[in-house]
Amino acid sequence: MLFLTLARKMYLSNLQYRSAHLVHNIASALFGLIYVSVWTGIGEGRSLGEYGLNGIISYVAFNQASLWIAAFLNNGLGMEQSVRTGQIALDLVRPVHLFYQLMSKEWGQIAYQFVYKFLPIYALYFFVLPLHVPSSVITYVWTAVALTLAAYISICLNYIIGAAALWTTESRWLYWVNYAFSMLLSGFLIPIEWLPPWLAAISRASFYPFLHYVPTRIYLGMESPSALAGSLFWCALFTVVCLAVTGMMRRKVEVQGG
Amino acid sequence: MKWIHMYALLVRASIRSRMQYKFNFWFSSIMAAIINVVEFLMLAVILLKFGHIKGWSLAEAGYLYAVLSLSKALYRMFASDVHHLEKYLVTGSLDSLLLRPVPVLLALMSQNFSIKFGELIQGIAILAFSMGTMMQTGQITWTALPLTVIVILSGSVLLFAIGLLTATAGFWITRIEELQNITEDAARTAAQYPMSIYPKWLQGLLISVIPVGFANYMPSLYILRHEAGIWLVGLSILVALALFTIALRAWKIGLARYQSTGS
């Protein structure tokens, strides 16, 4: 099956850099510890709402690990690069839809990152932090579903960012701006209900909460799985947009002269 | 003197080549500013809601943040491609720099020079807000201003030294991106917050192994909170200069080991 083949190849090509990625996990885990320390500092002598100190530590730590599933994908699914090299023209004439091709590859990337990034960081936090662990298997299942939907939204988002490169040649900046907004609006560091009202309103009207806030709260047992209806809604909407964008791309391709 | 003149010349050439893509330049400046603002906003949101973090107010935390981001902007401006040495090592393009009649480090520093407008404006704005607030409450006086300038400059030397040492490791291990993630990105992010929030081992790490704490936190203890004495500022400068000297030494040794890539 094409999907599995593409995903598997991507997984295997990442495997070559396994040891470098494991070193990188040290930095990633450190970032998480910095955020945990911020909340430990804030929590000194204060009660932290429905989360409590341990709750917020688990919240931030789980978010840090799940970055590797829901946020850190290939910049624009690698499209910026293929626009520059002209590879994009070849990719578009293949007998498979471009979105399907790139998405299949990216699932391989995510599978790899789950095994070599998410799991090691999660395991580390499990031992060094008071990390909340769900007591029922059902919670794990729903968390996995939530993260899978988050990953799909992120794939679509990066597809659109990558497609922008056809018009602007460079889309790296869009990737980082999206990342910055996502930090703030997805509830990555600060639970959405603690944002100033105007920011919280923007966040709730967007898809960002479904990347971090909703999955992590499901993991912590603070949100019912029915919240995932929102994830499904955004997945469907993004799929439509991605297909429409591909249609526009077909008419826009310009191969760079070299 | 001759080298400074050379450096200025190379920088001018670098700016000219960059300005061929004007839109790209302005667009990336604006985007960098937005990213930085959002980053600070996260800290501000938390402190506005909870008041202070381990006794550090928003103005004080803002000061720490602004001083560090200005130091970083200066370092990345004046030594831009030191951070990107990996690219040169992997592709072998360091060879062309070796042929130039200027020290390799200077040539590397002047490559892809860009004025970090976004970071500078944002840093100065937050610094002005923080220091203004603290002056109004009488926590600091005008004397803090020259001290702050000194701290920013010494901090940029310190960050440069850390960056250079990390880059130098590339002569042995070639791929340094992961290492940079730890010594530059993670360590600097940690120093954006008051260091007292960290567990002891991490505090120790940030003032000894990767002494980025001397870029803002240590001197601020004196400037903002009048703890210890002015020698804290002196010590910070000393640490920066010492590390820089070590980094230059290491760079020389590393460069002598350089072997180009085959292709």
Side-chain angles (χ1 to χ4, degrees), chain A residues 215-247:
Chain A
T216 300
R217 280 180 53 101
I218 289 178
Y219 172 81
L220 294 174
M222 301 173 108
E223 191 94 50
S224 91
S226 61
L228 292 178
S231 303
L232 282 174
F233 165 77
W234 283 106
C235 286
L237 188 68
F238 267 118
T239 309
V240 174
V241 174
C242 285
L243 295 179
V245 164
T246 316

Side-chain angles (χ1 to χ4, degrees), chain A residues 17 20-21 23-24 26-27 30-31 33-35 37-42 44 46-48 84 168 170 173-174 176-177 180-181 183-184 188-190 193-196 198-199, chain B residues 23-24 27-29 31-32 34-35 38-39 41-43 45-47 49-54 175 177-179 181-182 185-187 189-191 193 197-199 201-202 205:
Chain A
Y17 304 102
H21 290 160
V23 175
H24 189 234
I26 300 173
L30 266 177
F31 272 101
L33 286 179
I34 293 170
Y35 301 136
S37 301
V38 168
W39 281 112
T40 318
I42 292 284
E44 204 175 61
R46 296 191 191 92
S47 68
L48 292 170
R84 287 204 172 178
T168 59
E170 205 178 18
W173 287 102
L174 279 175
W176 286 111
V177 167
F181 278 119
M183 290 276 111
L184 189 62
F188 170 76
L189 180 61
I190 311 160
E193 61 269 27
W194 291 350
L195 293 176
W198 62 276
L199 264 180
Chain B
F23 171 77
N24 215 309
F27 186 66
S28 56
S29 292
M31 291 299 149
I34 294 180
I35 292 167
V38 171
E39 201 178 33
L41 211 56
M42 292 211 289
L43 179 62
V45 162
I46 296 180
L47 286 176
K49 182 163 173 67
F50 293 99
H52 63 88
I53 180 163
K54 285 242 175 167
R175 292 272 178 195
E177 213 186 306
E178 280 76 21
L179 194 62
N181 254 308
I182 300 172
D185 303 335
T189 305
Y193 305 99
I197 63 173
Y198 299 120
W201 64 270
L202 191 53
L205 201 76

Side-chain angles (χ1 to χ4, degrees), chain B residues 106-143:
Chain B
L106 216 56
L108 194 63
M109 283 165 69
S110 62
Q111 293 279 310
N112 294 315
F113 181 91
S114 69
I115 302 170
K116 305 268 179 216
F117 275 120
E119 284 93 335
L120 288 177
I121 292 171
Q122 185 248 8
I124 291 170
I126 295 173
L127 192 64
F129 156 79
S130 302
M131 293 188 77
T133 312
M134 286 186 282
M135 278 181 192
Q136 255 166 19
T137 57
Q139 188 181 346
I140 55 172
T141 56
W142 285 104
T143 50

Side-chain angles (χ1 to χ4, degrees), chain B residues 220-240:
Chain B
S220 301
L221 285 179
Y222 170 72
I223 299 175
L224 305 184
R225 324 199 111 200
H226 316 291
E227 285 172 28
I230 195 159
W231 58 267
L232 262 182
V233 180
L235 181 66
S236 305
I237 299 171
L238 216 64
V239 169

Side-chain angles (χ1 to χ4, degrees), chain A residues 3-4 11 18 38 44 63 67-68 76 84 104 114-115 132 152 164 177 193 195 200-201 221 227 236 258:
Chain A
F3 172 83
L4 284 178
Y11 187 97
R18 205 170 6 177
V38 168
E44 204 175 61
N63 273 340
L67 272 181
W68 293 101
R84 287 204 172 178
S104 308
F114 173 73
V115 177
H132 168 93
Y152 183 76
V177 167
E193 61 269 27
L195 293 176

Side-chain angles (χ1 to χ4, degrees), chain B residues 2-252:
Chain B
K2 191 179 120 208
W3 296 137
I4 295 177
H5 178 72
M6 275 290 208
Y7 176 75
L9 201 72
L10 288 169
V11 161
R12 272 206 299 279
S14 185
I15 292 179
R16 257 207 310 283
S17 82
R18 227 180 155 77
M19 275 305 174
Q20 303 299 314
Y21 305 93
K22 275 209 187 63
F23 171 77
N24 215 309
F25 171 79
W26 288 112
F27 186 66
S28 56
S29 292
I30 295 168
M31 291 299 149
I34 294 180
I35 292 167
N36 275 290
V37 167
V38 171
E39 201 178 33
F40 179 69
L41 211 56
M42 292 211 289
L43 179 62
V45 162
I46 296 180
L47 286 176
L48 282 174
K49 182 163 173 67
F50 293 99
H52 63 88
I53 180 163
K54 285 242 175 167
W56 287 71
S57 67
L58 177 58
E60 290 171 316
Y63 180 89
L64 289 181
Y65 182 91
V67 165
L68 195 67
S69 51
L70 285 172
S71 291
K72 183 206 161 193
L74 288 179
Y75 150 49
R76 286 292 180 83
M77 237 165 85
F78 290 106
S80 87
D81 269 12
V82 169
H83 186 72
H84 301 290
L85 182 69
E86 180 180 311
K87 192 176 70 189
Y88 291 83
L89 293 174
V90 172
T91 61
S93 50
L94 195 69
D95 295 7
S96 68
L97 296 187
L98 283 166
L99 294 175
R100 292 194 188 171
V102 287
V104 180
L105 183 58
L106 216 56
L108 194 63
M109 283 165 69
S110 62
Q111 293 279 310
N112 294 315
F113 181 91
S114 69
I115 302 170
K116 305 268 179 216
F117 275 120
E119 284 93 335
L120 288 177
I121 292 171
Q122 185 248 8
I124 291 170
I126 295 173
L127 192 64
F129 156 79
S130 302
M131 293 188 77
T133 312
M134 286 186 282
M135 278 181 192
Q136 255 166 19
T137 57
Q139 188 181 346
I140 55 172
T141 56
W142 285 104
T143 50
L145 211 55
L147 282 177
T148 304
V149 174
I150 293 173
V151 167
I152 291 172
L153 292 177
S154 125
S156 59
V157 172
L158 182 67
L159 294 182
F160 181 22
I162 295 173
L164 187 57
L165 271 173
T166 314
T168 302
F171 290 117
W172 282 267
I173 58 175
T174 313
R175 292 272 178 195
I176 45 172
E177 213 186 306
E178 280 76 21
L179 194 62
Q180 283 175 331
N181 254 308
I182 300 172
T183 59
E184 294 203 57
D185 303 335
R188 200 188 53 245
T189 305
Q192 281 171 0
Y193 305 99
M195 260 169 54
S196 49
I197 63 173
Y198 299 120
K200 283 277 174 287
W201 64 270
L202 191 53
Q203 288 186 26
L205 201 76
L206 294 173
I207 54 173
S208 58
V209 184
I210 312 170
V212 67
F214 284 101
N216 58 352
Y217 182 76
M218 297 305 261
S220 301
L221 285 179
Y222 170 72
I223 299 175
L224 305 184
R225 324 199 111 200
H226 316 291
E227 285 172 28
I230 195 159
W231 58 267
L232 262 182
V233 180
L235 181 66
S236 305
I237 299 171
L238 216 64
V239 169
L241 290 179
L243 200 67
F244 187 61
T245 316
I246 296 172
L248 279 180
R249 277 277 164 91
W251 170 263
K252 284 219 174 83

